[in-house]
Amino acid sequence: MTLSPTGIMSDLDRVLIDADAIRRRVTALAAQVAADFAGQTITVVAIMDGGLFFVADLLREIDLPVRLHTLSASSYHGGTQTSGELRLNWPAALDLAGHHVLLLDDILDTGLTLAAVQEKIRAQQPAALRTGVLLGKKRKRLREAAAEYVGFEIEDEFVVGYGMDYQGRFRNLPCIGILRLPS
Ligand code: IMP
Ligand code: MG
């Protein structure tokens, strides 16, 4: 596929969710999270790089004490289909015992990433674990992974923008869009 060197919006087939709709939904999710964790310090485990903008925007709307840990996880390795093989860098010093944990990621797709990370978090015996994703794809999960907070349910299409990439690009789009891929 040839990508245009300038103007990344022109590589989109269409905008799926615009920046204003994302902002409104993230604000609503933040209110839900704040109510559920009221009185606690939230220990956020954020999956990078796709969750970058979602996590940054969500956390700034939560008026509770927050600790932030980031992990990087990848399963796509460049394409638009998951490779099924998960690479995870779990910080050796991360100890979540007794913490009120909020796990955040960009998309719940096959469930492989979140199920694996949830399993590792639970093994550390946190006081609570809740999971939030900006997008939930309507598709069959390869592994069940519960998410208490889902920004938008979307069809099983490959999306980019607001943190999500195709071959490392398009993360800086302010909206979420569908790429024009060669048929
Ligand atoms: P899962 O392990 O299949 O649930 O995949 C989750 C990860 O795959 C997400 O955190 C994203 O990084 C990536 N991913 C899944 N669907 C898309 C997409 O449509 N666009 C970009 N990245 C995606
Ligand atoms: Mg990811």
Side-chain angles (χ1 to χ4, degrees):
M1 153 184 204
T2 314
L3 300 170
S4 62
T6 56
I8 57 177
M9 284 294 284
S10 63
D11 289 317
L12 288 191
D13 178 51
R14 64 183 198 280
V15 172
L16 188 64
I17 308 170
D18 68 30
D20 279 342
I22 297 171
R23 200 170 303 120
R24 285 193 301 271
R25 188 66 186 124
V26 168
T27 300
L29 286 179
Q32 245 183 297
V33 170
D36 292 349
F37 285 85
Q40 312 289 350
T41 293
I42 309 178
T43 299
V44 173
V45 175
I47 302 181
M48 294 290 126
D49 297 321
L52 176 63
F53 297 99
F54 173 49
V55 170
D57 286 344
L58 184 82
L59 296 190
R60 283 179 296 172
E61 300 230 27
I62 296 176
D63 188 18
L64 288 174
V66 162
R67 288 193 187 89
L68 174 64
H69 301 280
T70 57
L71 300 180
S72 47
S74 66
S75 57
Y76 273 61
H77 318 314
T80 63
Q81 295 291 318
T82 181
S83 70
E85 175 222 343
L86 182 68
R87 293 183 201 147
L88 200 66
N89 80 321
W90 186 268
L94 187 55
D95 179 9
L96 301 171
H99 288 232
H100 293 80
V101 178
L102 174 63
L103 170 62
L104 295 174
D105 199 4
D106 53 358
I107 309 190
L108 177 54
D109 183 21
T110 63
L112 291 172
T113 306
L114 283 176
V117 176
Q118 286 174 344
E119 196 173 274
K120 284 185 86 82
I121 292 174
R122 283 202 194 92
Q124 296 201 340
Q125 301 185 302
L129 170 60
R130 297 190 184 89
T131 299
V133 290
L134 180 65
L135 304 177
K137 282 195 192 175
K138 294 182 206 158
R139 57 157 287 159
K140 190 177 174 301
R141 306 268 181 253
L142 300 179
R143 280 189 74 182
E144 274 317 311
E148 285 75 13
Y149 314 103
V150 179
F152 302 90
E153 294 278 358
I154 65 165
E155 299 302 323
D156 188 9
E157 288 184 287
F158 193 80
V159 295
V160 293
Y162 195 68
M164 291 164 286
D165 74 306
Y166 173 69
Q167 297 189 343
R169 289 190 51 195
F170 305 102
R171 293 194 197 275
N172 60 324
L173 277 176
C175 61
I176 294 167
I178 308 289
L179 266 190
R180 196 179 308 118
L181 288 170
S183 41

